[in-house]
Amino acid sequence: MRKKNLMHFCLWLLAAVMAVYPPVCRAAGADLKAMADAVIDTGVKYDNIPALMNPEYVTVPNASLSLERGEPVFVIHLPQGVRIYPQYIMVWHEAVNETTPDGAPVLITYSPLTGAVAGYSARAGRFDTSFGVTGKLLNANTVLYDRSTGSLWPQITGTAIEGPLEGTTLERLPVLWTTWEKAAGRWPGALVLSRATGYRRSYGKDPYGSYRSGNSYYQNNTVTFPVMHADARFNAKEPMLGLTRDNLQTAVHKSQVKAQGVINFTMGTEPLAAVYDRQLDAVRIFSRVVNGKTVSLLMRDRTMADSETNSEWTPEGTCEFGVLRGYQLTRVPAVEVMWFAWAAYYPETTVIPPAENSW
C-alpha cells in the first residue's frame, strides 16, 4: 500500500510541477493515443541498443584511419564546435546524449529502418533529461524513452506519445547528412564520434547493408514493419527532408533540389528555400526573410543570388557579395528521412516540389 501511495504522490507532484512550468511546446491535433496503440514490441528490450552518454571524440586525422571516403556521416553544429557522427557507429546505438558547455542537453538520433536523422534539444518542457532506446518501433521508426519520466518518443516526431510528458515536443536542431570525405574536407577542425564507446560492436559494418550498395535494405522498396499509413507517390526509401511548422508538414524531395539547385516555397505564410550544397552533396532549408523582407533565391551559372537585390549567397546561407553582404539566412531544422516513414506519420504532408511526376 505504501508503494502505491508513493507512486500516486510522485505522479501528482509531477503533474503539479508541469502545471507551474508548462512544456515549451505541445502537439496539437495529433492522435497520440492511436500512435501509442500502434507501437510494436519487437522483442528487443530497453537499452539492448545502448544509447551513448557524453561520448568520446577524436580528431579528423585520427578518424581518417578507420573511416572510408564515401561513408555516410551526420554533422551538427554545437556551441563547442562541429561534431561529426559516422553512420557506421550510429547504427549500433541510435542515440547520442551530449551536453553543451553551458550544461544544456542535446540529443543526436539515427533510426536505421527509416533512414531518419534528427537532432533535438533534450529539454523536455522544463526538464533536462537524457534518452535511451526502447527497442520498440512505430512506423518502423525507433521509439526512444526519456530517463526522467519514462515517456515514449518516436524519433522522427520528437513528440511524446505516452507517459507523463505526453504531447510535449522537443525543439529540433539542424543536422546535415553528407559523406566522410566531404565533411572532413569542409570541417578539418571538427571532432568525430570515437569508436571507443565502451561497447563491443562491429563498427565497420552495418547489419542492414550499405547506403553505397545498390542491393541492400536502404535501396529496395520493402518496408519490413507495419505502418499507420502508406503513400505510393514515391519509392518507399526515397530520401526526403521532413519539416513541421505550426502544425503543417512538408516533405522536401532532395533529388529535385539537387537537380534545380534551389527551390523557393512557403509553409503556411512562412517563406522558405531548399538549397543544394554541391560540395557536400547535401540540402539545407532556410527562411527567406532577410532584414524583415522576403527574398527569392535563384541559380545563375552555379551561383545563387536573390532576385530582389542580385546579392550572391553561399549554400550555407551567407551573403558574400552585393547589397546584402554580411547577412545570414536562418537555418530551419529538418529531419533526413525515408519517404514511407514521413508519410506514415503525416498522411496530410505536402511535397516540395509537388509530386506530379513522382515514382
Side-chain angles (χ1 to χ4, degrees):
M1 181 64 71
R2 286 182 180 178
K3 290 183 178 179
K4 187 174 182 181
N5 289 338
L6 179 60
M7 180 183 71
H8 285 303
F9 173 75
C10 290
L11 290 174
W12 172 84
L13 181 61
L14 177 61
V17 170
M18 291 181 68
V20 177
Y21 300 106
V24 174
C25 179
R26 298 189 68 82
D31 191 348
L32 301 179
K33 184 179 185 304
M35 289 189 186
D37 291 342
V39 170
I40 293 174
D41 188 343
T42 65
V44 178
K45 304 302 181 185
Y46 275 56
D47 297 321
N48 278 4
I49 300 171
L52 299 180
M53 292 290 298
N54 298 315
E56 297 293 325
Y57 295 92
V58 297
T59 63
V60 166
N62 285 339
S64 295
L65 298 176
S66 59
L67 292 173
E68 298 179 7
R69 296 173 59 184
E71 186 172 331
V73 297
F74 316 130
V75 181
I76 186 169
H77 292 256
L78 297 178
Q80 59 266 47
V82 176
R83 297 291 182 267
I84 300 175
Y85 298 86
Q87 184 263 342
Y88 272 0
I89 300 178
M90 293 295 293
V91 73
W92 296 101
H93 297 283
E94 302 191 11
V96 175
N97 294 279
E98 188 50 273
T99 306
T100 64
D102 62 358
V106 173
L107 177 66
I108 301 95
T109 66
Y110 169 65
S111 173
L113 291 176
T114 54
V117 179
Y120 294 103
S121 166
R123 182 164 283 154
R126 296 286 179 166
F127 298 94
D128 287 352
T129 187
S130 62
F131 287 78
V133 181
T134 65
K136 303 176 186 293
L137 296 174
L138 175 59
N139 294 322
N141 180 231
T142 299
V143 177
L144 305 165
Y145 75 97
D146 71 83
R147 294 194 173 102
S148 295
T149 72
S151 300
L152 301 185
W153 307 74
Q155 179 256 2
I156 286 175
T157 69
T159 297
I161 59 173
E162 185 176 274
L165 293 178
E166 178 182 321
T168 304
T169 298
L170 301 174
E171 177 188 358
R172 189 165 283 156
L173 304 174
V175 182
L176 184 141
W177 182 315
T178 184
T179 63
W180 169 243
E181 177 187 26
K182 297 177 187 301
R186 177 68 65 89
W187 299 287
L191 292 180
V192 185
L193 182 64
S194 171
R195 295 187 178 194
T197 63
Y199 298 94
R200 297 185 64 181
R201 296 292 187 273
S202 299
Y203 289 127
K205 298 180 180 178
D206 183 335
Y208 302 99
S210 170
Y211 283 99
R212 293 175 290 168
S213 167
N215 186 28
S216 77
Y217 171 84
Y218 300 121
Q219 285 82 27
N220 65 39
N221 203 39
T222 302
V223 178
T224 54
F225 287 91
V227 296
M228 299 180 71
H229 174 78
D231 190 321
R233 279 181 286 175
F234 297 93
N235 185 303
K237 310 291 176 64
E238 185 70 20
M240 297 284 183
L241 280 177
L243 294 167
T244 55
R245 311 284 285 178
D246 297 328
N247 298 321
L248 300 174
Q249 299 86 37
T250 293
V252 177
H253 193 187
K254 291 180 66 176
S255 294
Q256 290 297 317
V257 181
K258 180 176 180 178
Q260 299 182 39
V262 59
I263 296 178
N264 298 289
F265 64 102
T266 59
M267 286 188 69
T269 59
E270 185 175 13
L272 303 174
V275 176
Y276 178 63
D277 188 325
R278 187 175 293 101
Q279 291 183 350
L280 293 175
D281 191 25
V283 175
R284 299 181 183 89
I285 309 296
F286 295 104
S287 167
R288 288 189 285 119
V289 177
V290 182
N291 196 27
K293 297 181 180 180
T294 300
V295 298
S296 297
L297 301 174
L298 50 88
M299 297 302 299
R300 293 175 179 166
D301 298 326
R302 294 199 168 192
T303 298
M304 185 169 67
D306 65 79
S307 58
E308 288 72 22
T309 72
N310 291 319
S311 299
E312 295 182 3
W313 301 80
T314 71
E316 293 179 315
T318 302
C319 185
E320 292 190 331
F321 300 100
V323 176
L324 298 177
R325 181 178 179 179
Y327 279 94
Q328 175 67 47
L329 298 176
T330 301
R331 180 97 177 264
V332 176
V335 178
E336 300 265 3
V337 62
M338 293 175 179
W339 165 247
F340 85 87
W342 185 257
Y345 278 111
Y346 302 115
E348 303 302 320
T349 188
T350 57
V351 177
I352 301 297
E356 293 129 340
N357 299 317
S358 305
W359 177 88

